Amino acid sequence: MKPDSLTLTVGAVVLAGVGAVAWTALNPPAGGHSMVPPDTSAIAQGAPIVQVSLPETLGDLEAIGQLAYEGVCAACHGVNAAGRNGIAPPLVHITYEPGHHGDESFWRATQMGVQAHHWQFGNMPAIEGLTRADVKAITAYIRALQRTNGIG
């Protein structure tokens, strides 16, 4: 029996996908980053982990996100997402670049919590009371901070 064009097309797409995954695994991007967190042993407990440069201006969504971040996230992740040593990691860090932790990962983290895997500060609990719109705004603020600091 001769395969039809749909079968050939599906086969070609699957083969291309497998090839792309294999290529990526065997050829990591130049200048890629390590997921090993920095040594924070010389930083005081609760102190900022990274220095964060601030954007000159924020868009409307980013400004709303800043307010929401300050009200909900800063107690753990620090002022301007610089982290707090021993408490929570900086979100202005290469680990949280969009290519590694997409915007959806921030939503999932607030809804389900996160098991510690990049940093050794313990698990993050789910955060109650945040809407998807709240997290979208917070993420926009974090992404603005990241861009200003050369991430993403």
Side-chain angles (χ1 to χ4, degrees), residues 33 94-103 143 146 151-152:
H33 63 274
I94 193 71
T95 300
Y96 301 101
E97 69 175 332
H100 183 67
H101 284 90
D103 292 358
R143 297 299 190 210
Q146 290 176 340
I151 300 168

Side-chain angles (χ1 to χ4, degrees), residues 15-34:
L15 184 59
V18 170
V21 169
W23 176 261
T24 302
L26 296 173
N27 298 286
H33 63 274
S34 168

Side-chain angles (χ1 to χ4, degrees), residues 25-104:
L26 296 173
N27 298 286
H33 63 274
S34 168
M35 288 298 120
V36 176
D39 178 10
T40 60
S41 61
I43 301 173
Q45 180 78 8
I49 297 170
V50 298
Q51 288 190 309
V52 177
S53 297
L54 302 178
E56 289 184 24
T57 60
L58 293 173
D60 291 343
L61 184 62
E62 296 162 349
I64 292 167
Q66 180 182 22
L67 293 173
Y69 175 89
E70 290 170 354
V72 179
C73 312
C76 294
H77 287 285
V79 174
N80 301 317
R84 293 191 60 217
N85 194 35
I87 299 168
L91 299 174
V92 178
H93 189 273
I94 193 71
T95 300
Y96 301 101
E97 69 175 332
H100 183 67
H101 284 90
D103 292 358
E104 184 67 15

Side-chain angles (χ1 to χ4, degrees), residues 72-73 76-77 87-89 91 96 105-117 119 121-128 130 135:
V72 179
C73 312
C76 294
H77 287 285
I87 299 168
L91 299 174
Y96 301 101
S105 68
F106 289 95
W107 169 249
R108 292 174 55 89
T110 64
Q111 298 305 295
M112 297 183 283
V114 179
Q115 285 193 326
H117 58 287
W119 302 81
F121 300 148
N123 298 335
M124 176 183 155
I127 307 299
E128 293 185 23
L130 289 174
V135 177

